[in-house]
Amino acid sequence: MKTCTPIFLLASQASFWFRFSICSLIVTLGGRKIVRCGNPSGREENSKTMDAKPQDVTGEVTMDVVRHLERLAYLQLSEVDRASLVGDLSKVLGYARSLTRLDLTEFEPQTHAMDQANVMRADDVQASSTLEQALANAPQAASPYLQVPRVLE
Amino acid sequence: MTQQENLPALELSRRIRSGDLSVVESTRRSLAEVAQRNPTLNAFVEVWSDAALTRAAELDHKRVSGESTGPLFGVPIGLKSNLCVTGQLCTCASKMLSNYRPTYSATVCQRLLDADAILLGRTNMDEYAMGSGTEYSIYGPTRNPHFASGPNAVLEGYSPGGSSGGSAAAVASGMVPLALGSDTGGSIRQPAAFCGVYGLKPTYGRVSRFGLVAYASSLDQIGPIATTPEDLELLFQVIQGSDRLDATSLSREKVQQVEATLGHKSLKQLRVGIIREHAEQDLAPTVRRALEETKEYLKSVGATLVEVSLPKQAQAIATYYLIASCEAASNLSRYDGMHFGHRAQVPEKNATLEQVIAASRGEGFGAEVKRRIMLGTYALSHGYAEQYYQQATRMRQAIRQDFAAAFAEVDVLLGPTTPAPAFPIGAHRQDPIAMYLTDQFTVSANLAGLPAISVPIELTNFQPDESRLPVAVQFHAPPCGESRLFAVANALHERNQSAKLGAEA
Amino acid sequence: MSTTTPSAISVQTIIGLEIHVQLATCSKLFCGCSTRYGQPPNTQTCPICQGLPGTLPVINSQAIDLAMDVGLALEMELVSGCRWDRKHYFYPDLPKGYQTSQFDLPITRKGRLEFRDPTNAETICSVRINRAHLEEDAGKSLHGEGVDGGTWIDLNRTGTPLLEIVTEPDLRSAQQAKAFLQQLRTILLYIGVSDCNMQEGSMRVDANVNLRIDNSNETVATPIVEIKNLNSFRNVERAIEFERDRQLQHWRATGERMGQRPKQTRGWDADREITTVQREKEEAADYRYFPCPDLPPVVLSVEQIAERRGKLPRLPQQWKSDLIRVWKLSDYDASVIVEQGRDMAEYFEIVARISQDGKRSANWITQEIMRLLNEQQRAITQFPISAQQMGELVAAVANNELDHARAREIFALWLEQPLSLGEAKQRLGIASISSDEVEQLVADIVAQHAAAIDDYRQGKKQALGPLIAQAKKLNPNVSPAKFREALLRVVEG
């Protein structure tokens, strides 16, 4: 294993440029004979997930959908917020509906602005924050720890 | 101090270097200007007077002792409230971050300091940069300096645009010659257009995002706002450049390589694309005339105008709002009231952690931020990600390809920055879609990662009943084509100067 | 394992494992903070791993290299163009509100690992590896420590690189699961990608367990239970055994099948030796995975993979066959040495190379050294006698310069003091003696023990033993073998 020496230097940034396609190049390694122990599990047929989908058959955003999103996003809303969001989300999603109906399969999804790849840093240790800095913005601290409300499992 | 004495940064820095003006003097003038105009405009939300004057004195000492001086020597600059400076509040105009003091500085802020600039304070914005009017702010709305007071003032005033409305208003009112904003869907260009100043959204990756509080990471870029194209370029040159702390920043070699393939074009050789889809939109009369006058001028200096089509333009707004909201919902997950930011006091005993987090977020975020978190959560949730988020990313690809095709024909694209000049404060408060549509010409540059500039246009004449609010046009260039944008803007700046003289005559 | 129960049903335990391995990088996955274990709380964090607004991650290239090594060692496909995804959930030890992980394009996938079935030595088990992906670790929560029972958070571990290795549900018994993990650990230690220290959390195991019950008329599966954070191989084994019994009992009582309740997460209570429910949600978690816009993908080129493959350390299986082939060790001895880890195998190789006697080297190591290390709970790297010294000692025995007993005296002295072989011999008064001296000694012994000599000549072969012992007493430096030889010449001559 490599020895870890902290060096407080700038790591040079290696960036290679080429068009990146989501279609991945698979490099397969030389195979060997497989002797499987036990029987095939048969677990695959049971990988059905409990569906958490908000009901949206019509595309209408209902109060139930808003409440579901509120739970997902850990975002407490007032009744007034909820009521206006039912309308606002319906309007915005209605506006986006024409987009969802287009056949765009010829276009690869573009999740980043630029076609970059392999921008990495060397494994160099840099200085960490002081304890004081680390706790500076904590709403509550019990040095040397951040403190948060009781976690009920 | 009068308006005429508000010098552009280049000129101010030149005078300071020559000894005509000390940095302390210049900083005091800027502070006085803020003191006089800010109560009306609410462009700055915090002024770092002591730190600025201390630094000014240090810079004066540096000059007197003959040390070399940086390119922004002594120039006061306003920073949007989403840029981190060690030890200073960085609130994003949100209750969530009202007490947040970063323990590190943004790369751009460090570069400003290295260039000997004075960080004068931080400017107002829409909460977390989500908005187009600088209205959704815990500090209240910023007013557009145009018609903010005087005989033509409207009751609440006009919006300076947003989300970088504080920075645009601060520059337009002469409080500072330069300011930084951030542009995710037009947040530099639209307020620059509304306030009559220059604003640049750089190529994605040319300016490091390290230390910019993220709204939508694949769209956000920091950029300059200034009163002249020269100043705009000066500030851009200081902040741009590869950063090892931002994996999406472009390497120097890459930028140089792309710039070399773009080459240099004189105005006479320039092929200017006119975006057909933009011209077909419903435009305010003064905006339409600004476009026409720009075309006339470009033709008169020998440029070739070519009509080009960007067929997917109609989908740009929906695409943008889906992608931006998804990224925002993700980026804003970190505000849980546990490690930094607002934590709600939940009275119930045995409140669960989930309740405390949800209450902290519910109290800490404003209405527009909540709206986008909800939209983004919806579009990324199980069963919908394919239909909404992924579909939007495919459309993003299509829009980028549209631009690539257009840039095979032309060197820059010309269109409006906004469909209309500034709207009165509060005009879009009830209708999010109407508000989103003010960004319809600006979001595409963010989706495609392109540089784009907003250039104010002095109209040569006005109809008697016409609004005298500033109007602007926008130019897009291919990636790393900023120098083309500066060249066009410089030419139009000269034209504006003569138009102004003509109007005054 | 199939167990036939009185009511003639057969029950099979179906086990899949998820193993989190901390990669042996110096700095964290996305920032330059040190990954050293056991530092004071919240002193190994920076704005990036604290998740402060405005910060951005940059990938540690060493983590990519180590993940590639695992992929190569487990015969997996390396995915060129692997991507980073954000997995969203709220928890106080996760400052960003999402974990940066790899979802649909992990760095490596589809491999397998073979090992000997502990319950049936004839069978070689082959477990399919579904995938191995990189992700960042979370911080540490200390529950109920603060005022009002609040939780304390230490973010030192936040952002430490982990490789999560996920198997297919191919394991059929707790013993197999344990043997699989031992084999995996040995491989990971040989290629040096992790210290696999389970006490320090560098290797953590979750087990997905359910049963397949064959009734006379149908086959049913019980709901899958995930047992979290098993921190020793023993706990893995015990927890799976417990869960097998519990699920069978539960099924008999309720008849509940897979799909009739959501996946349950249980924790292993090592004190009470039971699993307890940790979480059971009506809704499956919706993590809203999405590609991290801050991190460009990693594209592995064919050249890069070939280069890494060239640098891959020898795997345990190769070591074993090398020990058998080059040093003529038995399968058993080779296994014993290799299973001790790469340091031990390397130690052996040096001893064997210097002594040119593989069998003797193996005996010394498996009998003397490993016994001591076991007693003292120490690693070979902490052993006071270097492989070079050990090699010289074994060589001296092999060349008949030392007898085994005197070599053991030197070995014992070396445990106390770092001396050269010469110094140790001198200290113990070990000198080589001439054949004249040996013959003189034989003459003396023959003269003093006429009775014993007669006994020998009349066929009591064992009568010579005490004479040899007597000779060693008179001169400890005499080689028993040489003395015996000279004595026999006189007695039989």
Side-chain angles (χ1 to χ4, degrees):
Chain A
M1 254 172 248
K2 188 181 157 194
T3 26
C4 297
T5 327
I7 46 164
F8 301 99
L9 288 173
L10 306 189
S12 70
Q13 173 175 305
S15 73
F16 302 94
W17 279 76
F18 39 87
R19 290 194 75 82
F20 167 68
S21 160
I22 293 289
C23 305
S24 305
L25 170 66
I26 307 292
V27 183
T28 314
L29 305 161
R32 278 163 48 195
K33 202 179 109 225
I34 297 183
V35 189
R36 179 91 45 81
C37 59
N39 299 328
S41 76
R43 192 179 270 172
E44 292 82 354
E45 78 260 19
N46 280 302
S47 57
K48 180 189 164 228
T49 53
M50 304 292 280
D51 207 339
K53 180 189 292 196
Q55 307 80 29
D56 181 41
V57 189
T58 60
E60 197 66 17
V61 176
T62 61
M63 189 57 98
D64 281 350
V65 173
V66 169
R67 286 183 197 279
H68 172 76
L69 295 175
E70 205 180 323
R71 279 197 304 278
L72 270 184
Y74 275 46
L75 186 61
Q76 187 180 299
L77 300 174
S78 67
E79 279 306 321
V80 179
D81 284 344
R82 283 187 196 115
S84 68
L85 275 164
V86 168
D88 289 351
L89 289 183
S90 299
K91 252 190 248 174
V92 176
L93 291 169
Y95 181 79
R97 194 132 301 131
S98 67
L99 170 61
T100 66
R101 286 178 185 150
L102 296 173
D103 176 10
L104 298 173
T105 43
E106 64 178 296
F107 301 103
E108 283 295 334
Q110 193 197 344
T111 55
H112 293 67
M114 296 283 159
D115 300 324
Q116 280 168 294
N118 297 354
V119 185
M120 300 191 227
R121 42 176 275 272
D123 185 21
D124 297 328
V125 174
Q126 311 279 331
S128 289
S129 303
T130 62
L131 178 62
E132 194 191 357
Q133 288 169 330
L135 303 181
N137 282 292
Q140 195 186 357
S143 185
Y145 296 98
L146 297 143
Q147 190 170 327
V148 302
R150 186 152 62 128
V151 177
L152 297 174
E153 286 290 352
Chain B
M1 180 163 154
T2 62
Q3 198 72 28
Q4 283 76 15
E5 285 175 87
N6 292 325
L7 302 169
L10 263 177
E11 178 62 12
L12 179 66
S13 195
R14 194 192 59 74
R15 288 206 195 168
I16 292 172
R17 278 202 196 84
S18 71
D20 285 359
L21 192 68
S22 76
V23 183
V24 170
E25 247 177 298
S26 141
T27 307
R28 285 223 169 92
R29 281 195 197 182
S30 222
L31 289 170
E33 197 74 5
V34 174
Q36 193 201 329
R37 311 240 23 214
N38 204 53
T40 318
L41 300 182
N42 194 29
F44 273 94
V45 295
E46 190 182 13
V47 180
W48 303 326
S49 318
D50 292 348
L53 286 168
T54 306
R55 182 164 164 79
E58 284 166 14
L59 289 180
D60 277 330
H61 180 79
K62 188 173 171 178
R63 189 187 65 83
V64 170
S65 57
E67 285 176 55
S68 68
T69 54
L72 292 175
F73 191 78
V75 177
I77 291 183
L79 300 176
K80 191 174 179 178
S81 292
N82 57 359
L83 295 168
C84 295
V85 177
T86 305
Q88 298 289 5
L89 285 172
C90 176
T91 65
C92 292
S94 178
K95 178 177 178 182
M96 180 58 85
L97 288 179
S98 53
N99 292 312
Y100 171 62
R101 288 181 194 275
T103 51
Y104 74 100
S105 288
T107 299
V108 289
C109 296
Q110 194 53 53
R111 287 186 180 168
L112 292 179
L113 291 172
D114 295 345
D116 291 337
I118 302 277
L119 308 183
L120 201 77
R122 53 192 186 87
T123 59
N124 204 5
M125 60 187 280
D126 285 296
E127 184 181 0
Y128 282 102
M130 298 178 194
S132 310
T134 314
E135 294 180 56
Y136 303 131
S137 161
I138 43 164
Y139 306 107
T142 295
R143 278 185 175 199
N144 193 318
H146 296 271
F147 311 112
S149 56
N152 294 320
V154 293
L155 187 61
E156 277 195 85
Y158 288 97
S159 167
S163 63
S164 311
S167 287
V171 171
S173 62
M175 297 184 203
V176 280
L178 297 175
L180 287 184
S182 67
D183 190 316
T184 308
S187 280
I188 288 174
R189 290 160 289 157
Q190 184 250 28
F194 280 11
C195 294
V197 291
Y198 292 83
L200 174 75
K201 198 258 345 155
T203 307
Y204 185 89
R206 283 210 73 177
V207 179
S208 166
R209 292 182 296 116
F210 189 78
L212 165 70
V213 179
Y215 156 25
S217 312
S218 79
L219 304 163
D220 293 341
Q221 268 294 285
I222 299 167
I225 295 171
T227 57
T228 70
E230 281 182 320
D231 273 10
L232 200 71
E233 184 167 9
L234 173 70
L235 181 51
F236 172 69
Q237 288 304 341
V238 167
I239 61 171
Q240 67 88 33
S242 162
D243 180 11
R244 70 189 179 89
L245 294 171
D246 177 358
T248 64
S249 80
L250 301 180
S251 72
R252 192 191 159 104
E253 302 75 60
K254 174 66 187 174
V255 171
Q256 283 171 346
Q257 180 200 323
V258 177
E259 277 179 335
T261 62
L262 292 179
H264 177 77
K265 294 250 163 92
S266 72
L267 274 189
K268 267 195 165 59
Q269 300 167 298
L270 203 68
R271 292 173 65 82
V272 180
I274 310 297
I275 305 171
R276 186 189 304 144
E277 290 75 11
H278 286 184
E280 286 165 359
Q281 292 297 314
D282 200 9
L283 298 180
T286 52
V287 172
R288 195 169 287 283
R289 287 233 314 288
L291 266 179
E292 291 311 316
E293 290 197 20
T294 304
K295 285 195 257 182
E296 284 311 308
Y297 172 76
L298 290 172
K299 259 193 282 188
S300 74
V301 295
T304 313
L305 304 189
V306 184
E307 193 180 77
V308 295
S309 176
L310 297 173
K312 300 291 194 301
Q313 271 308 297
Q315 296 295 341
I317 281 284
T319 304
Y320 168 78
Y321 275 94
L322 285 172
I323 291 174
S325 299
C326 289
E327 294 190 16
S330 172
N331 284 329
L332 271 60
S333 300
R334 72 186 61 206
Y335 305 104
D336 57 4
M338 296 294 115
H339 311 92
F340 40 77
H342 175 73
R343 183 186 297 177
Q345 298 303 314
V346 177
E348 299 100 275
K349 247 192 150 171
N350 299 326
T352 64
L353 190 77
E354 180 172 348
Q355 284 171 322
V356 178
I357 295 175
S360 300
R361 291 164 63 78
E363 290 176 11
F365 293 138
E368 182 60 26
V369 174
K370 285 179 186 162
R371 190 146 55 206
R372 294 193 199 187
I373 290 175
M374 294 288 277
L375 175 61
T377 305
Y378 181 92
L380 283 179
S381 66
H382 183 72
Y384 292 95
E386 181 74 24
Q387 191 183 347
Y388 289 100
Y389 173 70
Q390 213 191 73
Q391 189 76 352
T393 58
R394 289 185 192 277
M395 181 51 82
R396 183 178 189 178
Q397 180 76 258
I399 288 170
R400 182 168 75 162
Q401 290 180 11
D402 272 3
F403 275 109
F407 284 121
E409 306 287 316
V410 298
D411 302 311
V412 293
L413 292 168
L414 167 64
T417 309
T418 58
F423 49 82
I425 288 173
H428 297 315
R429 217 164 276 168
Q430 298 311 317
D431 187 355
I433 304 259
M435 164 91 117
Y436 297 170
L437 284 172
T438 66
D439 297 334
Q440 61 181 298
F441 303 131
T442 47
V443 295
S444 302
N446 302 80
L447 289 170
L450 305 175
I453 193 170
S454 179
V455 177
I457 298 297
E458 291 286 340
L459 296 182
T460 45
N461 56 67
F462 283 95
Q463 306 300 318
D465 58 339
E466 242 170 23
S467 151
R468 301 287 173 121
L469 286 161
V471 284
V473 296
Q474 177 180 220
F475 290 91
H476 289 81
C480 302
E482 278 85 353
S483 59
R484 282 186 191 167
L485 299 180
F486 294 130
V488 176
N490 273 316
L492 283 165
H493 188 63
E494 276 178 38
R495 178 216 157 267
N496 281 342
Q497 297 300 93
S498 22
K500 218 185 267 178
L501 287 175
E504 278 165 17
Chain C
M1 286 290 94
S2 294
T3 329
T4 308
T5 64
S7 51
I9 58 169
S10 108
V11 178
Q12 198 167 41
T13 317
I14 315 281
I15 305 155
L17 300 175
E18 292 169 17
I19 305 108
H20 286 87
V21 176
Q22 181 182 327
L23 295 178
T25 57
C26 299
S27 63
K28 293 184 178 180
L29 185 52
F30 297 121
C31 68
C33 285
S34 167
T35 53
R36 260 179 80 189
Y37 178 78
Q39 298 304 295
N42 292 306
T43 57
Q44 272 176 190
T45 69
C46 70
I48 299 168
C49 57
Q50 291 158 13
L52 288 193
T55 57
L56 299 170
V58 184
I59 304 159
N60 181 343
S61 59
Q62 179 71 6
I64 300 292
D65 286 347
L66 296 181
M68 285 172 74
D69 286 353
V70 174
L72 292 166
L74 300 181
E75 299 176 50
M76 302 175 80
E77 293 170 355
L78 293 175
V79 179
S80 177
C82 73
R83 203 165 67 175
W84 304 91
D85 300 278
R86 295 177 177 179
K87 176 184 180 181
H88 299 87
Y89 64 93
F90 290 93
Y91 204 74
D93 60 15
L94 188 71
K96 296 195 297 291
Y98 57 80
Q99 179 192 33
T100 307
S101 180
Q102 299 190 300
F103 182 51
D104 53 358
L105 290 173
I107 184 158
T108 172
R109 60 189 174 194
K110 294 198 184 76
R112 63 208 160 87
L113 180 70
E114 289 173 4
F115 61 96
R116 204 178 286 280
D117 188 345
T119 51
N120 177 4
E122 301 300 297
T123 317
I124 297 292
C125 292
S126 176
V127 169
R128 291 168 301 159
I129 311 287
N130 174 292
R131 59 190 277 149
H133 66 260
L134 281 161
E135 62 185 27
E136 55 180 341
D137 205 348
K140 205 165 76 180
S141 303
L142 294 96
H143 297 293
E145 298 285 344
V147 285
D148 304 333
T151 296
W152 285 350
I153 305 292
D154 172 9
L155 295 179
N156 278 357
R157 209 178 59 189
T158 311
T160 299
L162 298 178
L163 190 73
E164 180 176 341
I165 303 169
V166 182
T167 76
E168 296 291 350
D170 289 349
L171 293 155
R172 292 291 174 273
S173 72
Q175 294 73 25
Q176 279 185 4
K178 185 180 172 187
F180 168 86
L181 289 168
Q182 281 167 333
Q183 176 73 1
L184 177 67
R185 182 171 184 271
T186 306
I187 291 174
L188 298 178
L189 287 171
Y190 267 84
I191 59 176
V193 297
S194 173
D195 65 17
C196 295
N197 185 329
M198 294 189 82
Q199 279 80 49
E200 294 179 3
S202 316
M203 188 172 181
R204 284 169 265 164
V205 180
D206 302 336
N208 286 291
V209 181
N210 77 330
L211 305 180
R212 210 169 84 145
I213 301 167
D214 280 312
N215 237 334
S216 48
N217 45 15
E218 60 169 350
T219 300
V220 297
T222 58
I224 300 173
V225 165
E226 183 177 13
I227 317 169
K228 281 280 194 193
N229 270 327
L230 296 162
N231 63 359
S232 75
F233 292 158
R234 187 190 139 84
N235 285 346
V236 172
E237 199 177 7
R238 304 300 297 264
I240 293 172
E241 278 171 355
F242 175 86
E243 196 52 34
R244 176 198 61 203
D245 297 345
R246 191 195 64 78
Q247 286 186 22
L248 185 59
Q249 215 172 7
H250 186 79
W251 175 76
R252 284 189 201 283
T254 64
E256 200 169 66
R257 300 171 180 209
M258 194 188 286
Q260 292 177 340
R261 75 186 295 166
K263 183 168 155 179
Q264 201 182 51
T265 302
R266 299 177 75 92
W268 174 243
D269 182 335
D271 295 332
R272 295 194 290 161
E273 301 219 311
I274 56 170
T275 63
T276 54
V277 184
Q278 281 186 335
R279 189 177 61 207
E280 181 170 35
K281 283 198 173 168
E282 280 313 307
E283 290 173 353
D286 183 352
Y287 293 118
R288 286 155 288 135
Y289 280 102
F290 105 109
C292 179
D294 292 326
L295 291 167
V298 175
V299 179
L300 307 174
S301 66
V302 174
E303 296 75 32
Q304 203 181 347
I305 293 169
E307 191 200 330
R308 203 66 207 169
R309 192 198 301 273
K311 286 185 189 162
L312 191 72
R314 262 188 289 172
L315 296 170
Q317 207 48 43
Q318 285 167 272
W319 268 99
K320 193 176 147 186
S321 57
D322 286 354
L323 297 192
I324 293 170
R325 188 175 45 82
V326 179
W327 300 110
K328 311 284 180 260
L329 297 196
S330 66
D331 189 287
Y332 177 81
D333 279 350
S335 296
V336 169
I337 289 171
V338 167
E339 277 162 20
Q340 294 299 307
R342 191 169 100 188
D343 291 330
M344 184 64 89
E346 282 171 350
Y347 190 98
F348 167 82
E349 216 174 42
I350 296 169
V351 175
R353 201 178 303 130
I354 294 174
S355 68
Q356 286 299 311
D357 189 334
K359 184 66 195 157
R360 265 207 179 79
S361 301
N363 288 345
W364 275 92
I365 286 170
T366 56
Q367 285 156 27
E368 305 296 330
I369 297 180
M370 278 168 50
R371 180 179 53 78
L372 284 167
L373 293 177
N374 242 335
E375 279 170 18
Q376 298 166 8
Q377 287 294 301
R378 283 205 277 185
I380 185 68
T381 47
Q382 299 164 301
F383 192 65
I385 304 173
S386 73
Q388 280 73 15
Q389 280 180 295
M390 212 48 224
E392 289 173 35
L393 188 66
V394 176
V397 177
N399 300 334
N400 273 328
E401 290 159 23
L402 272 179
D403 67 71
H404 191 71
R406 305 262 32 198
R408 288 191 58 147
E409 287 177 50
I410 293 173
F411 182 79
L413 181 62
W414 273 350
L415 291 176
E416 309 299 327
Q417 283 173 309
L419 301 169
S420 70
L421 183 57
E423 285 165 345
K425 279 164 113 177
Q426 202 175 9
R427 181 75 60 87
L428 294 168
I430 301 173
S432 36
I433 58 173
S434 67
S435 44
D436 284 355
E437 284 172 283
V438 175
E439 274 163 31
Q440 183 57 53
L441 197 57
V442 169
D444 291 350
I445 293 285
V446 169
Q448 288 164 24
H449 300 278
I453 303 289
D454 282 347
D455 285 351
Y456 175 82
R457 285 183 174 139
Q458 278 160 27
K460 274 183 76 179
K461 300 289 179 202
Q462 69 269 38
L464 280 195
L467 300 186
I468 294 170
Q470 186 59 28
K472 275 217 62 106
K473 208 177 261 176
L474 291 173
N475 187 344
N477 291 324
V478 74
S479 151
K482 283 184 182 163
F483 176 81
R484 188 168 196 279
E485 206 178 299
L487 180 65
L488 287 180
R489 270 202 305 274
V490 172
V491 175
E492 293 180 344

